Amino acid sequence: MPVITEIEDLKRIYRRRVPKMFYDYTESGSWTEQTFRENSSDFDRIYLRQRVAVDMAGRNTTTQMIGQDVSMPVALAPVGLTGMQHYDGEIMAARAAEKFGVPYTLSTMSICSIEDVAANTSKPFWMQVYTLKDDEFMQRLFDRAKEAKCSAAVITVDLQLLGQRHKDVKNGLSAPPKLTAKSVANMMTKVQWGLGMLSTKRRFFGNIVGHAKGVSDPTSLTTWTNQAFDQSLDWDRIREFRKMWDGPLIIKGIMDPRDALEALNVGADAIIVSNHGGRQLDGALSSIRALPAILDAVGDKIEVHIDSGIRSGQDVLKALAMGAKGTYIGRAYVYGLGAMGQQGVTRALEVIHKELDFSMALCGRRDVKDVDRDILMIPEGFAGRWA
């Protein structure tokens, strides 16, 4: 087994083992990719304050996210097409998260279905849903999540329109993927990946096919996908979704304090400060820059989480010190999944946990719940002084 000391090690293996179209799907943002880049680089602008001669023994990273116990405040974010990064990818990622003691969030646009993941895990996971027009499909999706004993729903509110990701267009990456001679030739060079895909029956959007009205093949899926997303979405519509789901609710895609307050008003239990990993509105602030103003707006009235750009345990520590109560990793665990399957996801979590634990200690904190802004050095004007 290769020596893995950082997430970047997993990324290098992932790039070699997974077809280019799926690597590019993960490793891309919309338009110029400014926001995609700054999601990570803005974390580098925040410095940690080292303390010495403090008791570092008996450290603790356990806490809660929306009232649920977690071994560290990190959840696996919803990522579409995970089952194309590695065979049965959603199942493997969910198993790794379960064993590590962190939440796993299943995407609506997953390859493995809600039922597949539930049948192969023993603890509740979270279910992500999009804001779609079809009430019947939406209600059934929430009902299926309840039947699978999902312990939270995550509503993604920033995908009324799909931001253009140039690499996906050039590679024919859509729902379903449009295979070209070039992409097929590349897939044929990824022998381990191909053998894995041949070994599973799960290769086709398990939450959609057979559940959405009229969707039975790739052609009908393309038609459905093009028509399903609700461009007329407003907060009244989100209130309707809230009525469909009576469990813990997280709203993902909040980047403005006014929208944070709206999410509070519709009865969400938590919000995720997120720009969709830089895959929607290019030129938007990074999530970590947007976080302070949102925290100022909502205070402790709602739990505030963050995703986009987190690649290390130090990034997690910085987000927590800024005031977030939970963080999400997407690309970081997908690198591990594509590199080594379930073992790779576990290794990604181990790397992030060790970095969080050691960095927290060297900043003079023994308990993750005691982390605060005092451990940070934040550049003046970092949160924005905009004309």
Side-chain angles (χ1 to χ4, degrees), residues 231-370:
Q231 295 184 22
S232 65
L233 175 72
D234 58 19
W235 288 102
D236 286 336
R237 178 62 172 157
I238 295 172
R239 286 184 178 87
E240 293 175 11
F241 296 143
R242 187 59 178 120
K243 293 175 183 177
M244 295 181 185
W245 174 263
D246 57 6
L249 179 68
I250 303 169
I251 294 183
K252 176 179 181 288
I254 301 299
M255 287 292 291
D256 188 283
R258 291 167 292 185
D259 291 329
L261 291 170
E262 291 283 5
L264 174 63
N265 291 336
V266 301
D269 297 282
I271 58 174
I272 305 175
V273 178
S274 170
N275 54 41
H276 216 98
R279 293 164 66 79
Q280 283 297 94
L281 177 61
D282 188 38
L285 286 182
S286 65
S287 290
I288 192 63
R289 274 203 188 197
L291 178 63
I294 290 171
L295 287 166
D296 288 345
V298 300
D300 59 1
K301 296 176 184 176
I302 190 170
E303 201 164 303
V304 178
H305 302 168
I306 183 172
D307 82 358
S308 302
I310 295 173
R311 301 289 190 276
S312 71
Q314 288 198 333
D315 293 342
V316 171
L317 181 63
K318 291 172 184 179
L320 298 174
M322 293 277 278
K325 297 299 182 185
T327 65
Y328 295 71
I329 57 171
R331 292 179 174 96
Y333 92 77
V334 170
Y335 300 156
L337 178 69
M340 295 185 290
Q342 182 176 331
Q343 185 181 22
V345 179
T346 298
R347 191 71 191 103
L349 289 168
E350 289 171 345
V351 166
I352 286 174
H353 182 265
K354 184 174 183 178
E355 291 170 344
L356 170 61
D357 178 36
F358 279 45
S359 300
M360 178 180 73
L362 291 169
C363 289
R365 298 290 190 274
R366 291 192 298 173
D367 194 312
V368 74
K369 293 184 284 293
D370 295 332

Side-chain angles (χ1 to χ4, degrees), residues 154-228:
V154 179
I155 299 181
T156 296
V157 294
D158 61 354
L159 203 78
Q160 290 165 265
L161 292 169
L162 186 65
Q164 179 166 305
R165 302 140 198 180
H166 298 329
K167 294 173 188 174
D168 288 352
V169 175
K170 291 172 181 175
N171 288 330
L173 202 290
S174 58
K178 296 182 177 71
L179 298 180
T180 65
K182 187 175 181 179
S183 62
V184 171
N186 178 257
M187 287 180 186
M188 291 175 67
T189 69
K190 311 298 180 181
V191 177
Q192 186 175 348
W193 176 88
L195 291 173
M197 293 306 298
L198 288 172
S199 72
T200 182
K201 61 183 179 181
R202 303 179 182 96
R203 304 189 199 100
F204 203 66
F205 298 98
N207 288 324
I208 310 298
V209 178
H211 297 284
K213 190 173 181 180
V215 179
S216 57
D217 55 41
T219 301
S220 55
L221 176 62
T222 299
T223 302
W224 181 86
T225 302
N226 290 338
Q227 298 175 351

Side-chain angles (χ1 to χ4, degrees), residues 1-299:
M1 178 177 174
V3 176
I4 305 297
T5 62
E6 59 180 342
I7 296 300
E8 193 67 23
D9 291 333
L10 292 168
K11 182 180 175 181
R12 282 189 284 269
I13 301 170
Y14 164 65
R15 186 170 192 171
R16 293 198 305 267
R17 294 187 176 179
V18 173
K20 183 179 185 296
M21 71 186 309
F22 300 122
Y23 173 85
D24 284 351
Y25 170 75
T26 299
E27 204 59 14
S28 65
S30 61
W31 305 109
T32 70
E33 299 189 335
Q34 175 190 349
T35 302
F36 167 68
R37 294 189 300 272
E38 291 181 358
N39 274 335
S40 295
S41 65
D42 278 349
F43 274 101
D44 296 336
R45 299 185 63 212
I46 303 170
Y47 289 82
L48 297 169
R49 191 186 305 275
Q50 181 174 325
R51 300 300 303 275
V52 298
V54 293
D55 184 355
M56 298 180 184
R59 296 185 303 279
N60 175 50
T61 62
T62 64
T63 184
Q64 291 189 329
M65 292 174 68
I66 57 166
Q68 299 178 25
D69 293 336
V70 294
S71 62
M72 63 176 173
V74 176
L76 300 195
V79 179
L81 290 169
T82 309
M84 298 307 292
Q85 305 287 352
H86 190 284
Y87 73 92
D88 295 345
E90 291 88 2
I91 292 171
M92 293 193 176
R95 283 176 170 171
E98 179 181 301
K99 289 183 179 179
F100 207 88
V102 297
Y104 171 72
T105 317
L106 180 69
S107 169
T108 294
M109 299 302 289
S110 60
I111 301 302
C112 301
S113 68
I114 302 170
E115 294 78 11
D116 288 332
V117 175
N120 287 277
T121 53
S122 58
K123 294 181 181 177
F125 55 94
W126 296 352
M127 182 66 209
Q128 176 269 341
V129 298
Y130 292 108
T131 53
L132 307 179
K133 296 177 185 176
D134 188 338
D135 273 0
E136 183 180 345
F137 176 80
M138 290 296 293
Q139 184 63 69
R140 180 58 186 147
L141 191 63
F142 283 122
D143 290 344
R144 290 168 61 204
K146 290 176 189 176
E147 290 165 12
K149 296 183 169 53
C150 291
S151 55
V154 179
I155 299 181
T156 296
V157 294
D158 61 354
L159 203 78
Q160 290 165 265
L161 292 169
L162 186 65
Q164 179 166 305
R165 302 140 198 180
H166 298 329
K167 294 173 188 174
D168 288 352
V169 175
K170 291 172 181 175
N171 288 330
L173 202 290
S174 58
K178 296 182 177 71
L179 298 180
T180 65
K182 187 175 181 179
S183 62
V184 171
N186 178 257
M187 287 180 186
M188 291 175 67
T189 69
K190 311 298 180 181
V191 177
Q192 186 175 348
W193 176 88
L195 291 173
M197 293 306 298
L198 288 172
S199 72
T200 182
K201 61 183 179 181
R202 303 179 182 96
R203 304 189 199 100
F204 203 66
F205 298 98
N207 288 324
I208 310 298
V209 178
H211 297 284
K213 190 173 181 180
V215 179
S216 57
D217 55 41
T219 301
S220 55
L221 176 62
T222 299
T223 302
W224 181 86
T225 302
N226 290 338
Q227 298 175 351
F229 289 87
D230 188 359
Q231 295 184 22
S232 65
L233 175 72
D234 58 19
W235 288 102
D236 286 336
R237 178 62 172 157
I238 295 172
R239 286 184 178 87
E240 293 175 11
F241 296 143
R242 187 59 178 120
K243 293 175 183 177
M244 295 181 185
W245 174 263
D246 57 6
L249 179 68
I250 303 169
I251 294 183
K252 176 179 181 288
I254 301 299
M255 287 292 291
D256 188 283
R258 291 167 292 185
D259 291 329
L261 291 170
E262 291 283 5
L264 174 63
N265 291 336
V266 301
D269 297 282
I271 58 174
I272 305 175
V273 178
S274 170
N275 54 41
H276 216 98
R279 293 164 66 79
Q280 283 297 94
L281 177 61
D282 188 38
L285 286 182
S286 65
S287 290
I288 192 63
R289 274 203 188 197
L291 178 63
I294 290 171
L295 287 166
D296 288 345
V298 300

